[in-house]
Amino acid sequence: MGDRNNAHPGAAGRAATADRPSSLRNVVLVGHTGSGKTTLVEALALAAGAVNRAGRVEDGTALSDYDEIEHRQQRSVQLSLVPVEWGGVKVNLLDTPGYADFVGELRAGLRAADAALFVVSAADGVDGSTRMVWEECAAVGMPRAIVVTHLESARASFEEMTAICQRVFGGDDPDAVLPLYLPLHGDEGPDGHAPVAGLIGLLSQRIFDYSSGARVEREPEGEHLPLIEEARNRLIEGIIAESEDETLMDRYLGGEDVDIKTLIEDLERAVARGTFHPVLAAAPAAEGSKQGLGTVELLDLISGGFPTPLEREMPTVTTPKGAPRPPLTCDPDGPLAAEVVKTSSDPYVGRISLVRVFSGTLHPDETVHVSGHGLEDRGHEDHDVDERIGALSAPFGKQQRVLPKAIAGDLACVAKLTRAETGDTLSAKDDPLLMEPWVMPDPLLPMAIQAHSKADEDKLSQGLSRLVAEDPTMRLEQNQDTHQVVLWCLGEAHVDVVLERLRSRYGVQVDAVPHKVSLRETFGEKAAARGRHVKQSGGHGQFAICDIEVEPLPGGSGIEFVDKVVGGAVPRQFIPSVEKGVRAQAAKGVSTGNPLVDVRVTLLDGKAHSVDSSDAAFQTAGALALREAAAKCLIHLLEPYAEVQVLVSDEYVGPVMSDLSGRRGRVVGTEQAGPGRTLVRAEVPEIEIGRYAVDLRSLSHGTGRFNRHYVRHEPMPPQIAAKVREQAQSGGTPPR
């Protein structure tokens, strides 16, 4: 595993293929922004012979040319696939964004992969979000390895970074996180920093020297032996502790020499089971070099130690109607079951779906059944249709290399799936299946938009529907109370990407406008009033008079209408007209244009005319009476409150609770939610948490998570309500 250089790089210019699941490895790269994931993918592609020394594919484009938005933002914003071959194994490398706003792309990568490479920068350390993803992978038993990058930095130390990883990732068993190689430093430069020039293989006790631009294997020198001995003994003990041979540790401690082949086999099994996590070092190839530091060792680890798709637990499947089905197996001859893990649009090809095949074999130009869960709350329609797919291909930079088929365990891009969205299941048309969905983060940052022009307004609906199909982490809301189109996103960077995609891909220019919360009005006291609608202008006039009394009700009561008219002062046929007018005015509001709720309106008396009274006249009179009553008494503004649950590291509990109090929130409880984590529950006005998704991330250094749900409306403080009324009277936007 890295000590055995028996791999044969794949040839550039053709699609990497696999004819059986055992020759496949699906690996997702995880790490914070700037840790070097994309650079590492390019270095592995170079070592595997998939690109030339300049990182270019055969058409001259760069391997990293995925998205114009990524170039403008100078960071990855979407999941990308790079397939390479190594030692007869097809390796699907899934590069994920490191920024928290694009965690949906990370989750898609975790769904599509069978193992994870955690890329950590020796210059920056391990951030909180990377640690949380590690814990998620541990919870499902996903095999993991660690790659240390940026060792060229003056303050970088592989040894210190390994110790940090053992503390952060190892938990109660730091010996489950150990290096397979030690860095070999070259001569010190003028700054006193000695660059890493090679690696020392602890199992083989061999030197792998990269200083010449190519990997050269040689015997260690005497000065290296003491360095090797302690680390090697600890590594061997760590491997043996995970061995299935329970006698091996006793034999080793008894002085028996353990065969290196046995150690490598035990190591590979422990890595594949997810119980041992090797640490490696890697760096991109220097100018003119054929291989980057540690890339051969890493490819050997992936091909030899990471699990095949055969070893993965399959997602649960049912029929689209919810009936149970037998568990899937990773069998190319089994029933077809594939999942769309990413959807993108190409201006020339149209919609392209990245698909993971879990069972069966997917062929180009065949008709498949598309089943979707429908995420109606996020603007995704439920669907259950047959569709004919187009060509299958493997992405490579901006190229799409044609594939003859995609077997169980493999990933491929599918063209012409016009109805399928991210998360949908593809299955045989005569045997439709539906996979259990993976967990997607809840978008909690609202952005209200409006079309920039009439031409944009005509294209907005179609552009939004396509955007929602691509991005299941975005929720589209048509708010009936505020009449706003609201896009709920994961953060400000996510907002920027959404707006840019609307503009560049779909030709829709929109303007962001302040987001409004759904306010309500109610009476603060009892009031009585008369609604008088009397007009005479020749011919039939309009005559309606009604006397009402309005009184407040408990929250959640809605609008009650009571008829207490006696003696026929208001004819029976016009009483529903009065109620209709009252309810219509209540929906429009009586003070700030927000709906009136939680009042009882009692019709006490009135007058009618035998000729001039009508349904319309009494509707108008009822509305006038309600407005008159409102003018005579105190009107309370009600604002929505949300129950907010914040999951945060213990060290940030104090700042989080203080921040919630500063937002007029009421902390209602805290509880332990696992080692070092606390769940804080609070009720907070929604007007105060519009940007909480951004603010919490800053407050907790990226480690905090929260969810929210509406609980009730409560009276707004008088000073804030006064500002809302001023804004309503001036036609402006209520304060946030």
Side-chain angles (χ1 to χ4, degrees):
M1 184 182 290
D3 288 352
R4 2 159 252 193
N5 191 11
N6 61 350
H8 301 286
R14 63 179 177 83
T17 58
D19 57 1
R20 60 191 186 280
S22 60
S23 62
L24 282 164
R25 305 291 185 275
N26 298 311
V27 183
V28 61
L29 282 80
V30 177
H32 66 81
T33 297
S35 61
K37 299 183 298 297
T38 301
T39 302
L40 179 58
V41 168
E42 293 173 347
L44 294 173
L46 174 62
V51 295
N52 61 28
R53 294 182 187 179
R56 304 269 170 181
V57 296
E58 70 273 6
D59 66 353
T61 60
L63 182 61
S64 58
D65 282 345
Y66 302 123
D67 194 300
E68 293 180 6
I69 297 175
E70 291 183 325
H71 286 288
R72 282 193 287 272
Q73 295 211 357
Q74 293 296 302
R75 61 181 165 203
S76 297
V77 302
Q78 62 180 351
L79 173 71
S80 59
L81 168 65
V82 176
V84 300
E85 288 185 18
W86 188 257
V89 172
K90 178 182 178 182
V91 179
N92 287 317
L93 299 169
L94 291 152
D95 186 13
T96 64
Y99 198 65
D101 281 17
F102 310 109
V103 67
E105 303 285 325
L106 168 62
R107 300 238 187 259
L110 292 171
R111 176 72 161 205
D114 305 314
L117 277 179
F118 278 74
V119 183
V120 297
S121 168
D124 301 324
V126 180
D127 70 343
S129 58
T130 302
R131 183 175 60 199
M132 292 178 72
V133 177
W134 179 278
E135 292 171 0
E136 289 181 23
C137 292
V140 297
M142 176 174 276
R144 286 144 285 152
I146 301 160
V147 183
V148 179
T149 59
H150 295 164
L151 288 168
E152 70 280 3
S153 172
R155 65 180 189 275
S157 167
F158 179 81
E159 292 76 13
E160 288 181 10
M161 196 65 242
T162 299
I164 291 172
C165 290
Q166 288 173 335
R167 184 176 69 251
V168 173
F169 298 143
D172 297 333
D173 186 11
D175 283 345
V177 179
L178 293 171
L180 298 183
Y181 306 87
L182 296 179
L184 177 68
H185 294 276
D187 297 331
E188 286 189 3
D191 59 355
H193 176 66
V196 178
L199 299 171
I200 304 172
L202 293 179
L203 293 182
S204 64
Q205 302 182 82
R206 303 282 290 173
I207 300 293
F208 303 99
D209 193 342
Y210 283 84
S211 59
S212 65
R215 182 177 185 266
V216 177
E217 183 178 343
R218 58 182 172 85
E219 290 283 343
E221 298 172 12
E223 63 190 81
H224 301 135
L225 296 179
L227 185 66
I228 294 173
E229 184 176 5
E230 181 181 353
R232 185 175 192 269
N233 289 339
R234 187 177 179 186
L235 173 62
I236 290 174
E237 290 177 12
I239 294 172
I240 292 176
E242 301 295 337
S243 175
E244 295 177 353
D245 185 348
E246 297 179 358
T247 68
L248 195 56
M249 180 64 80
D250 291 336
R251 287 156 43 201
Y252 173 72
L253 294 177
E256 181 179 326
D257 246 353
V258 182
D259 180 60
I260 188 171
K261 181 180 178 183
T262 300
L263 289 173
I264 290 175
E265 289 174 350
D266 281 343
L267 171 62
E268 290 176 345
R269 279 192 290 268
V271 171
R273 287 197 308 266
T275 57
F276 186 84
H277 315 292
V279 183
L280 297 90
E287 185 69 31
S289 300
K290 296 179 180 178
Q291 295 159 331
L293 175 81
T295 52
V296 170
E297 289 74 17
L298 187 51
L299 285 166
D300 277 350
L301 170 67
I302 291 170
S303 61
F306 275 9
T308 73
L310 295 167
E311 299 167 73
R312 173 176 180 158
E313 184 178 346
M314 295 288 104
T316 302
V317 292
T318 64
T319 68
K321 303 296 184 184
R325 286 294 305 265
L328 294 175
T329 58
C330 186
D331 180 3
D333 297 322
L336 177 63
E339 188 170 40
V340 179
V341 294
K342 175 181 171 57
T343 308
S344 59
S345 295
D346 185 280
Y348 305 105
V349 181
R351 185 179 293 185
I352 298 176
S353 304
L354 177 61
V355 170
R356 161 78 191 244
V357 183
F358 286 94
S359 173
T361 300
L362 190 63
H363 298 277
D365 302 316
E366 71 175 320
T367 299
V368 299
H369 188 81
V370 180
S371 304
H373 290 273
L375 301 174
E376 289 184 7
D377 63 320
R378 300 195 184 185
H380 294 253
E381 65 175 77
D382 198 357
H383 48 266
D384 196 13
V385 297
D386 290 340
E387 260 198 287
R388 184 180 178 85
I389 67 173
L392 300 181
S393 59
F396 214 80
K398 288 188 175 180
Q399 291 185 2
Q400 292 290 334
R401 296 175 174 175
V402 176
L403 290 175
K405 62 182 179 180
I407 65 169
D410 207 353
L411 290 106
C413 286
V414 179
K416 298 183 179 179
L417 272 175
T418 58
R419 295 290 301 278
E421 301 180 356
T422 301
D424 286 356
T425 303
L426 309 183
S427 53
K429 63 178 182 178
D430 56 351
D431 187 17
L433 301 172
L434 183 61
M435 285 191 190
E436 180 183 30
W438 71 85
V439 176
M440 297 298 287
D442 194 15
L444 294 167
L445 180 67
M447 174 184 63
I449 61 169
Q450 62 185 20
H452 183 71
S453 66
K454 180 63 171 69
D456 294 311
E457 190 173 336
D458 295 337
K459 297 182 289 184
L460 181 59
S461 178
Q462 185 179 26
L464 288 175
S465 65
R466 291 182 177 178
L467 201 61
V468 167
E470 289 185 25
D471 187 355
T473 62
M474 188 192 77
R475 176 159 59 90
L476 174 62
E477 176 191 4
Q478 306 273 354
N479 193 298
Q480 300 302 312
D481 291 331
T482 63
H483 308 291
Q484 286 188 316
V485 176
V486 183
L487 303 180
W488 289 82
C489 300
L490 294 174
E492 291 178 311
H494 192 197
V495 166
D496 293 341
V497 168
V498 165
L499 294 181
E500 179 62 21
R501 283 178 177 163
L502 270 177
R503 185 194 64 79
S504 60
R505 289 187 183 177
Y506 307 120
V508 182
Q509 188 78 34
V510 298
D511 299 321
V513 296
H515 175 246
K516 301 176 184 177
V517 300
S518 301
L519 301 179
R520 299 285 186 267
E521 301 172 351
T522 194
F523 276 55
E525 56 193 349
K526 185 183 290 188
R530 165 171 285 190
R532 185 175 186 276
H533 181 60
V534 178
K535 289 188 177 181
Q536 186 68 46
S537 57
H540 282 301
Q542 299 179 49
F543 188 97
I545 297 175
C546 59
D547 296 320
I548 66 169
E549 182 181 77
V550 186
E551 56 187 314
L553 294 176
S557 300
I559 301 290
E560 288 186 16
F561 183 83
V562 179
D563 169 25
K564 287 191 177 180
V565 174
V566 295
V570 177
R572 306 310 301 170
Q573 69 268 28
F574 293 135
I575 290 175
S577 303
V578 176
E579 180 178 1
K580 189 173 181 182
V582 166
R583 291 188 180 277
Q585 185 62 53
K588 296 176 184 177
V590 294
S591 174
T592 59
N594 294 292
L596 179 72
V597 296
D598 304 333
V599 294
R600 177 184 293 121
V601 179
T602 304
L603 178 60
L604 301 172
D605 201 359
K607 293 181 181 179
H609 189 277
S610 59
V611 176
D612 292 341
S613 291
S614 65
D615 170 63
F618 271 100
Q619 284 191 46
T620 303
L624 285 170
L626 188 61
R627 292 204 299 269
E628 288 294 326
K632 294 180 178 180
C633 74
L634 175 66
I635 299 296
H636 288 313
L637 265 182
L638 305 177
E639 60 180 334
Y641 267 67
E643 180 181 310
V644 176
Q645 295 185 335
V646 186
L647 181 63
V648 68
S649 299
D650 290 346
E651 59 191 299
Y652 300 117
V653 170
V656 164
M657 293 174 65
S658 176
D659 178 72
L660 290 171
S661 297
R663 298 172 187 269
R664 298 190 286 124
R666 300 185 295 266
V667 175
V668 296
T670 62
E671 58 190 73
Q672 284 302 120
R677 297 281 177 81
T678 298
L679 183 69
V680 180
R681 291 182 289 109
E683 292 181 349
V684 192
E686 289 191 5
I687 203 169
E688 301 285 352
I689 54 173
R691 289 181 50 81
Y692 194 58
V694 176
D695 298 337
L696 177 63
R697 185 179 300 164
S698 175
L699 189 66
S700 65
H701 295 266
T703 62
R705 299 288 184 270
F706 82 104
N707 59 54
R708 53 181 278 185
H709 67 270
Y710 166 80
V711 285
R712 62 185 166 275
H713 275 71
E714 291 188 14
M716 181 180 281
Q719 65 274 20
I720 299 178
K723 293 180 181 179
V724 173
R725 288 191 176 92
E726 288 175 12
Q727 292 286 344
Q729 291 170 2
S730 65
T733 301
R736 295 298 310 277

